[in-house]
Amino acid sequence: MNDGWLKRSILLRMVVIGGLSLALLIPSLMVMGLISDREQTRNSAIGEVSENWGQGQTIAGPILTLPFRKYIPQQKGPPRVVIEQTHILPDSLAIATTVSPEVRYRGIYECVLYNARLNLRGKFSLNALAALNIKPDDVVWDNARLAIGISDLKGINEIVTVNWDGKSFAAEPGVEAGNVLNAGISIKPTVVPEKREFEFATNIELNGSGDLQFVPVGKETSVRVASSWTSPSFIGRFLPERRTIRPDGFNAEWKILHLNRNFPQQWVGETAPASGEVSSHAHTASKLDGNAFGVKLLLPVDEYQKTMRSAKYAIMFIVLTFLSFFLTEVFNKKVVHPIQYALIGFALVLFYCLLLSLSEQMAFDTAYSVSALGIIALVAGYTRAVLASTRVALTISAVLTMLYAFLFVILQQEDFALLVGSLGLFAILAGIMYLTRKIDWFAIGKTDVTT
């Protein structure tokens, strides 16, 4: 390619600049891949800490399981007797929880852990047996079991004692009906047919990480959570009726009726059918877990999410910066070589690597400021050396400063990021159209440009 032709042809230079812009998408995508890899490394580190301390906890129960004799008629001889299980949920369930959070580190990565002190209390009614057409004489009362689902038993800190109808029972690990609860603890309470209602209460101290959820097994379930964590996210099937988020923590309260969920108060078999369905072994414990709700302890800033969001604007930065240099060529009769464009483009892509690495070591806003100032200084100094013009270097610095400030504003937005971004791009396009409104592009194409 003839260098003189490249200097004289505006159209050819525009094609070359456009090709460079598209080519720089490759390193931009590589940077986005690097961000994802670092995020996965962070998640793996958090997973290792959580595995040793206690993972996200889901509390389901208590559930009262009563075995009973079922008689199956035979063509000849007496009916065959089989043992079935009936599962009864509490009429009322009240859970009060205090969550004490703690931030720990694995290398450079932060992990949110917590210790939760739970108080569960409520009552059961045996009137459910009549609803299932189970006769009291057919129930094997001595083999009754009360189970509380806890998703990660490793997090239990102290011996759990359950107060059942005024008597204390030490909990044992494991649940017999594995398809109803995936994991948990259980006791063998004293249940007698002469009494129709039984009260229970227990305290559980539990380690966990990330989130704490509850399954609304009560006919009326109320949950109260208090914590000193200042960045909660309420997750799951139900949002709290009342919540208060303060500079020193939060409080949240839920109240859920059995009519709000998709499983009944009592059923026969290993698993819970949806309301109105016939009991089936095809259903799993996910039927209960699918109705879980609770709170997730969020880190105030996720540097990887913000860095990824900023990297998605890389093509905009490259195009607008190249456009600024191209307009400088047009107005100042100077030529920037494609290699110089490429070096400037690589500097713009390097910003995201700097932001990623620095944000792992310091606050994101500080990392963003340091990275942006470094790239602005680098590009401005290079422009001053190449074009031998302080005025052009200052102009390019002002353009980059406005672009980085614009991106920073977008990153601070959650609900209005698209609106702010659209209005900003509209303003930028309007400014470019205003600056170039009197340029005769055909005349420029016929004019030689000197270095």
Side-chain angles (χ1 to χ4, degrees):
M1 180 183 295
N2 190 296
D3 288 344
W5 186 25
L6 181 60
K7 289 182 178 181
R8 290 190 299 271
S9 175
I10 290 288
L11 179 61
L12 180 58
R13 292 208 303 280
M14 291 178 65
V15 171
V16 171
I17 293 170
L20 280 173
S21 300
L22 294 176
L24 286 169
L25 281 177
I26 297 175
S28 299
L29 293 174
M30 293 174 65
V31 170
M32 294 175 70
L34 176 62
I35 296 171
S36 297
D37 289 342
R38 296 296 294 179
E39 185 175 16
Q40 291 178 5
T41 302
R42 188 273 305 271
N43 293 339
S44 297
I46 292 176
E48 291 178 6
V49 176
S50 300
E51 182 66 27
N52 296 327
W53 174 265
Q55 300 181 353
Q57 298 285 9
T58 299
I59 309 301
I63 298 176
L64 179 62
T65 299
L66 297 175
F68 68 97
R69 289 178 288 271
K70 182 177 180 180
Y71 300 92
I72 302 176
Q74 303 293 312
Q75 290 183 353
K76 295 182 180 180
R80 183 165 60 93
V81 180
V82 296
I83 299 297
E84 292 275 7
Q85 306 277 350
T86 179
H87 305 285
I88 302 173
L89 303 184
D91 277 9
S92 63
L93 174 63
I95 303 175
T97 307
T98 300
V99 179
S100 302
E102 178 183 355
V103 176
R104 291 194 181 181
Y105 293 85
R106 181 64 176 264
I108 62 174
Y109 303 108
E110 293 182 336
C111 180
V112 183
L113 307 177
Y114 64 78
N115 174 267
R117 294 181 176 272
L118 299 97
N119 175 267
L120 290 77
R121 59 181 60 251
K123 65 179 181 179
F124 282 88
S125 171
L126 295 186
N127 293 329
L129 295 176
L132 295 172
N133 296 319
I134 299 175
K135 298 177 181 179
D137 292 341
D138 294 332
V139 177
V140 185
W141 299 101
D142 292 340
N143 290 335
R145 304 287 293 189
L146 184 75
I148 300 175
I150 300 174
S151 57
D152 189 357
L153 297 178
K154 182 169 56 274
I156 297 177
N157 276 342
E158 297 179 348
I159 297 296
V160 178
T161 301
V162 179
N163 185 292
W164 175 266
D165 201 31
K167 297 180 180 180
S168 295
F169 297 85
E172 298 292 335
V175 291
E176 290 188 352
N179 286 339
V180 177
L181 298 172
N182 289 319
I185 57 177
S186 59
I187 65 169
K188 193 173 181 180
T190 302
V191 183
V192 293
E194 293 80 15
K195 192 168 184 178
R196 308 310 294 174
E197 289 189 351
F198 299 86
E199 294 185 352
F200 69 90
T202 185
N203 294 309
I204 303 175
E205 184 174 338
L206 200 61
N207 288 339
S209 58
D211 61 84
L212 175 63
Q213 298 192 65
F214 308 90
V215 177
V217 298
K219 194 170 186 178
E220 181 178 307
T221 302
S222 61
V223 176
R224 291 186 293 111
V225 178
S227 175
S228 60
W229 192 252
T230 58
S231 300
S233 174
F234 301 107
I235 58 175
R237 189 70 177 269
F238 305 97
L239 292 176
E241 281 191 340
R242 287 179 293 274
R243 63 174 186 171
T244 304
I245 301 176
R246 309 176 308 277
D248 61 342
F250 75 90
N251 293 82
E253 296 182 15
W254 290 261
K255 182 179 179 181
I256 298 159
L257 303 177
H258 69 302
L259 299 174
N260 304 136
R261 61 182 202 222
N262 194 31
F263 55 88
Q265 277 297 110
Q266 60 279 320
W267 67 91
V268 174
E270 292 187 358
T271 54
S275 298
E277 291 182 356
V278 178
S279 180
S280 168
H281 291 276
H283 295 281
T284 65
S286 61
K287 178 67 69 174
L288 275 66
D289 292 342
N291 289 271
F293 62 91
V295 62
K296 183 178 181 66
L297 306 184
L298 292 176
L299 286 169
V301 177
D302 188 335
E303 66 273 14
Y304 297 105
Q305 183 180 12
K306 284 195 170 184
T307 304
M308 180 63 79
R309 286 179 62 194
S310 67
K312 292 178 180 178
Y313 290 89
I315 186 62
M316 180 192 75
F317 267 71
I318 293 170
V319 169
L320 291 178
T321 305
F322 282 4
L323 181 59
S324 300
F325 276 95
F326 179 74
L327 292 177
T328 299
E329 293 186 42
V330 172
F331 287 119
N332 295 279
K333 309 299 182 181
K334 294 181 179 292
V335 176
V336 179
H337 195 275
I339 292 180
Q340 294 167 337
Y341 271 106
L343 291 174
I344 293 168
F346 283 125
L348 297 176
V349 174
L350 181 61
F351 163 77
Y352 304 103
C353 289
L354 286 174
L355 178 59
L356 173 63
S357 57
L358 291 176
S359 65
E360 291 182 336
Q361 308 295 333
M362 61 183 70
F364 180 84
D365 292 354
T366 303
Y368 187 95
S369 300
V370 172
S371 302
L373 290 174
I375 296 302
I376 291 171
L378 177 63
V379 174
Y382 185 69
T383 302
R384 173 67 181 80
V386 169
L387 299 181
S389 173
T390 302
R391 180 175 61 83
V392 173
L394 291 175
T395 301
I396 294 299
S397 298
V399 171
L400 287 176
T401 300
M402 288 188 292
L403 286 176
Y404 282 117
F406 171 57
L407 177 59
F408 184 79
V409 171
I410 292 177
L411 293 178
Q412 303 310 307
Q413 304 298 316
E414 291 293 340
D415 298 330
F416 302 105
L418 179 60
L419 176 62
V420 173
S422 300
L423 293 176
L425 290 176
F426 176 82
I428 291 172
L429 179 59
I432 294 171
M433 294 173 70
Y434 177 80
L435 291 174
T436 60
R437 69 192 187 283
K438 295 183 178 180
I439 295 178
D440 186 349
W441 297 101
F442 291 104
I444 291 177
K446 298 177 182 179
T447 305
D448 288 343
V449 182
T450 58
T451 58

